[in-house]
Amino acid sequence: MHILSMADLPIKGKRILMRVDFNVPVDDRGNVTDDTRITAVIPSIKYILEKGGCVILMSHFGRPKGSFSKEFSLVPVAEYLEKLIGIKIKFASDCIGSEAKRLAEALRPGEVLLLENLRFHQAEEHPDKDPEFAKQLAGLGDCYINEAFGACHRTHASVVDIVRYFPGAAAAGFLLQKEIRFLSETLTDPKRPFYAIIGGAKISSKLGVLKALLGKVDALFIGGGMAYTFYRAEGIEIGDSLFEKDLIPEAAEILQTAKSKGVPLFLPIDNVIADKISPEASIRTVPVAAGIPKGESGADIGPETIELFTEKLQNAKTILWNGPLGVFEIEAFSKGTKAIAEAITKTPAVTIVGGGDSIAAIRATGYADKITHISTGGGATLEYLEYGTLPGIDALANSDRG
Ligand code: AMP
């Protein structure tokens, strides 16, 4: 598969349209709480500016479902980027249309324009609804760079469809290249034992990946909200814990597949439970066998699970981790995630942590510096592992014939 690098593109005097992933976590007041995805593309932006080009940045942010909503505006991200990079960031209040066109055309070398959230248009996520959308975006730049690894598993307009308008002028950014290189080197033929730790809120978003992982890993460790659907599949009482009723059969199937393949699948053996998911909650620890009573819900893995997971992870050579093991945003429920973060950094393994919440969780533990590779992609990392490529990468591979 041959993909152009941004280093192959003519930059001087050109308008470089760059798809980035500024889908960063924010708090209730809209403040950026983890800027990994922003800082990660700054070297590429600076490279273009230094080479005498100008940059038009485009990104999605949250899930606004195809129409404008202030909550999902990229304005706070523009302000954040401006402080970080130290130059004025121009802003277009719509990613296509006359204002975006005018601002893009007026850009001078050394200048940066950020377009408003791509997902304010339905056609970003559903390109068939309006093929003109990708064409209009493409019309803003002379060259296209994909620097949004975290969005490469999506067949979205700004990731896939747009590429066809840049024959011989669509390339992978430095960050995207680094992600692909690292993941293919470490995950295509991983050093074994290879373990995956999967947590986070729901099974639904990680179902395909959980199944795929069973064919690749030497053991699977599950925690976080998704564990409770597995418990339900085993007939264990989970009280008011988060779970996905429709996915109980799928969870049962995963447990069965693990058994038949002989892949150890570890679920938490005890849980920190609470009367509410809040810093003021009254909390206690219960073994799984006791069940979780009505009126209480599981919010973190318990100390015995920490001990079990830590011991089992000891001999790992490769560890992939996606999704926190509890509601890590609240101190009282962050112990499991923190303890496992510490545990994996003490193993001799190559450690890969991916995804927005996972990055925030690992940073909150203070162990981020000791992780071998923090990937900007969550779902993208997992799907790369599942398929060995991603739609956004394939699109670039097919576009290098100028
Ligand atoms: P994901 O994006 O699927 O990786 O999910 C991350 C979210 O899962 C975080 O915001 C956590 O607070 C949440 N989470 C983890 N464990 C639990 C749990 N036991 N109950 C509810 N939410 C959880």
Side-chain angles (χ1 to χ4, degrees), residues 199-202 205-206 224-225 228 242 277 298-300 322-329 357-358:
K202 293 180 173 179
S205 53
K206 295 173 189 172
Y228 304 102
L242 186 76
I277 303 291
D300 196 8
N322 179 283
L325 301 176
V327 186
F328 75 97
E329 297 91 339
D357 274 318
S358 308

Short mmCIF file of all heavy atoms in Angstrom, two decimals, residues 199-202 205-206 224-225 228 242 277 298-300 322-329 357-358, ligand 1:
data_model
loop_
_atom_site.label_atom_id
_atom_site.label_comp_id
_atom_site.label_asym_id
_atom_site.label_seq_id
_atom_site.Cartn_x
_atom_site.Cartn_y
_atom_site.Cartn_z
N GLY A 199 -12.31 -1.42 28.71
CA GLY A 199 -13.28 -0.88 29.66
C GLY A 199 -14.14 0.15 28.96
O GLY A 199 -14.38 0.05 27.76
N GLY A 200 -14.59 1.13 29.72
CA GLY A 200 -15.44 2.16 29.11
C GLY A 200 -16.90 1.88 29.41
O GLY A 200 -17.23 0.91 30.10
N ALA A 201 -17.74 2.74 28.87
CA ALA A 201 -19.14 2.71 29.26
C ALA A 201 -19.91 1.51 28.69
O ALA A 201 -20.62 0.82 29.41
CB ALA A 201 -19.80 4.01 28.85
N LYS A 202 -19.77 1.29 27.38
CA LYS A 202 -20.71 0.37 26.75
C LYS A 202 -20.06 -0.70 25.88
O LYS A 202 -19.02 -0.45 25.29
CB LYS A 202 -21.66 1.17 25.85
CG LYS A 202 -22.56 2.08 26.63
CD LYS A 202 -23.45 2.83 25.70
CE LYS A 202 -24.48 3.61 26.49
NZ LYS A 202 -25.35 4.38 25.62
N SER A 205 -20.35 -0.06 21.47
CA SER A 205 -19.38 0.58 20.60
C SER A 205 -18.14 -0.29 20.36
O SER A 205 -17.33 0.02 19.52
CB SER A 205 -18.96 1.93 21.21
OG SER A 205 -18.52 1.74 22.54
N LYS A 206 -18.00 -1.37 21.12
CA LYS A 206 -16.77 -2.15 21.03
C LYS A 206 -17.01 -3.63 20.73
O LYS A 206 -16.11 -4.46 20.85
CB LYS A 206 -15.97 -2.00 22.33
CG LYS A 206 -15.50 -0.57 22.54
CD LYS A 206 -14.86 -0.30 23.86
CE LYS A 206 -14.65 1.20 24.01
NZ LYS A 206 -14.20 1.59 25.34
N GLY A 224 -15.01 -1.59 33.74
CA GLY A 224 -15.86 -0.46 33.36
C GLY A 224 -17.32 -0.85 33.26
O GLY A 224 -17.72 -1.95 33.64
N GLY A 225 -18.11 0.07 32.71
CA GLY A 225 -19.55 -0.14 32.63
C GLY A 225 -19.93 -1.38 31.83
O GLY A 225 -20.95 -2.02 32.10
N TYR A 228 -21.01 -5.04 33.25
CA TYR A 228 -22.30 -5.42 33.84
C TYR A 228 -23.22 -6.15 32.87
O TYR A 228 -24.05 -6.95 33.27
CB TYR A 228 -22.96 -4.19 34.49
CG TYR A 228 -22.01 -3.58 35.50
CD1 TYR A 228 -21.27 -2.44 35.19
CD2 TYR A 228 -21.77 -4.22 36.70
CE1 TYR A 228 -20.33 -1.94 36.08
CE2 TYR A 228 -20.83 -3.73 37.60
CZ TYR A 228 -20.11 -2.59 37.27
OH TYR A 228 -19.17 -2.12 38.14
N LEU A 242 -25.06 0.37 34.97
CA LEU A 242 -25.20 0.57 33.53
C LEU A 242 -25.18 -0.79 32.83
O LEU A 242 -24.36 -1.63 33.15
CB LEU A 242 -23.97 1.37 33.09
CG LEU A 242 -23.88 1.86 31.67
CD1 LEU A 242 -24.80 3.07 31.52
CD2 LEU A 242 -22.45 2.27 31.35
N ILE A 277 -23.92 7.86 41.26
CA ILE A 277 -22.62 8.13 40.62
C ILE A 277 -22.33 9.62 40.85
O ILE A 277 -22.69 10.47 40.04
CB ILE A 277 -22.65 7.77 39.11
CG1 ILE A 277 -23.04 6.30 38.91
CG2 ILE A 277 -21.30 8.08 38.45
CD1 ILE A 277 -22.02 5.27 39.36
N GLY A 298 -22.58 -0.38 40.14
CA GLY A 298 -21.14 -0.58 40.08
C GLY A 298 -20.46 0.61 39.43
O GLY A 298 -20.90 1.08 38.38
N ALA A 299 -19.38 1.10 40.08
CA ALA A 299 -18.73 2.30 39.56
C ALA A 299 -17.23 2.13 39.35
O ALA A 299 -16.59 2.98 38.74
CB ALA A 299 -18.99 3.48 40.50
N ASP A 300 -16.67 1.03 39.88
CA ASP A 300 -15.22 0.79 39.71
C ASP A 300 -14.94 -0.67 40.02
O ASP A 300 -15.75 -1.34 40.69
CB ASP A 300 -14.43 1.69 40.68
CG ASP A 300 -12.94 1.79 40.31
OD1 ASP A 300 -12.54 1.30 39.24
OD2 ASP A 300 -12.18 2.38 41.11
N ASN A 322 -7.95 0.07 26.17
CA ASN A 322 -8.93 1.06 25.71
C ASN A 322 -10.10 1.09 26.68
O ASN A 322 -10.75 0.07 26.90
CB ASN A 322 -9.41 0.70 24.30
CG ASN A 322 -10.44 1.67 23.79
OD1 ASN A 322 -11.60 1.61 24.19
ND2 ASN A 322 -10.04 2.58 22.92
N GLY A 323 -10.36 2.25 27.24
CA GLY A 323 -11.54 2.43 28.09
C GLY A 323 -11.22 2.32 29.57
O GLY A 323 -10.64 1.32 30.01
N PRO A 324 -11.61 3.34 30.36
CA PRO A 324 -11.36 3.30 31.80
C PRO A 324 -12.12 2.17 32.49
O PRO A 324 -13.15 1.71 32.01
CB PRO A 324 -11.86 4.67 32.27
CG PRO A 324 -12.75 5.18 31.20
CD PRO A 324 -12.29 4.56 29.92
N LEU A 325 -11.60 1.74 33.65
CA LEU A 325 -12.19 0.60 34.34
C LEU A 325 -13.24 1.00 35.36
O LEU A 325 -13.84 0.15 36.03
CB LEU A 325 -11.07 -0.22 35.01
CG LEU A 325 -10.03 -0.73 34.01
CD1 LEU A 325 -8.90 -1.45 34.70
CD2 LEU A 325 -10.69 -1.63 32.97
N GLY A 326 -13.46 2.30 35.47
CA GLY A 326 -14.49 2.81 36.36
C GLY A 326 -14.81 4.23 35.96
O GLY A 326 -14.28 4.75 34.98
N VAL A 327 -15.68 4.87 36.74
CA VAL A 327 -16.03 6.27 36.45
C VAL A 327 -14.87 7.12 36.97
O VAL A 327 -14.95 7.75 38.03
CB VAL A 327 -17.37 6.65 37.11
CG1 VAL A 327 -17.80 8.05 36.70
CG2 VAL A 327 -18.46 5.65 36.74
N PHE A 328 -13.78 7.12 36.19
CA PHE A 328 -12.51 7.69 36.67
C PHE A 328 -12.58 9.19 36.91
O PHE A 328 -11.76 9.75 37.61
CB PHE A 328 -11.39 7.39 35.66
CG PHE A 328 -11.47 8.27 34.43
CD1 PHE A 328 -10.69 9.42 34.33
CD2 PHE A 328 -12.34 7.97 33.42
CE1 PHE A 328 -10.78 10.24 33.21
CE2 PHE A 328 -12.45 8.79 32.30
CZ PHE A 328 -11.67 9.93 32.20
N GLU A 329 -13.61 9.83 36.31
CA GLU A 329 -13.73 11.29 36.47
C GLU A 329 -14.01 11.65 37.92
O GLU A 329 -13.79 12.78 38.34
CB GLU A 329 -14.86 11.84 35.59
CG GLU A 329 -14.66 11.66 34.08
CD GLU A 329 -15.27 10.36 33.53
OE1 GLU A 329 -15.48 9.41 34.33
OE2 GLU A 329 -15.51 10.30 32.32
N ASP A 357 -11.24 9.24 25.99
CA ASP A 357 -11.44 9.05 27.43
C ASP A 357 -10.29 8.26 28.04
O ASP A 357 -9.92 8.49 29.19
CB ASP A 357 -12.75 8.30 27.69
CG ASP A 357 -13.91 9.26 27.75
OD1 ASP A 357 -13.76 10.32 28.36
OD2 ASP A 357 -14.96 8.95 27.16
N SER A 358 -9.75 7.34 27.26
CA SER A 358 -8.64 6.54 27.79
C SER A 358 -7.41 7.40 27.99
O SER A 358 -6.68 7.23 28.97
CB SER A 358 -8.30 5.38 26.84
OG SER A 358 -9.46 4.66 26.53
P1 AMP B 1 -15.78 4.85 26.49
O1 AMP B 1 -15.85 6.15 25.72
O2 AMP B 1 -16.72 3.81 26.00
O3 AMP B 1 -14.35 4.37 26.64
O4 AMP B 1 -16.33 5.19 27.94
C1 AMP B 1 -15.69 6.05 28.84
C2 AMP B 1 -16.64 6.37 29.97
O5 AMP B 1 -17.00 5.16 30.63
C3 AMP B 1 -16.05 7.26 31.02
O6 AMP B 1 -16.66 8.52 30.96
C4 AMP B 1 -16.37 6.53 32.34
O7 AMP B 1 -16.89 7.39 33.32
C5 AMP B 1 -17.41 5.53 31.91
N1 AMP B 1 -17.49 4.37 32.80
C6 AMP B 1 -16.50 3.55 33.17
N2 AMP B 1 -16.94 2.65 34.09
C7 AMP B 1 -18.24 2.92 34.32
C8 AMP B 1 -19.23 2.35 35.16
N3 AMP B 1 -18.97 1.34 35.97
N4 AMP B 1 -20.48 2.89 35.12
C9 AMP B 1 -20.74 3.94 34.32
N5 AMP B 1 -19.84 4.53 33.48
C10 AMP B 1 -18.60 4.02 33.48
#
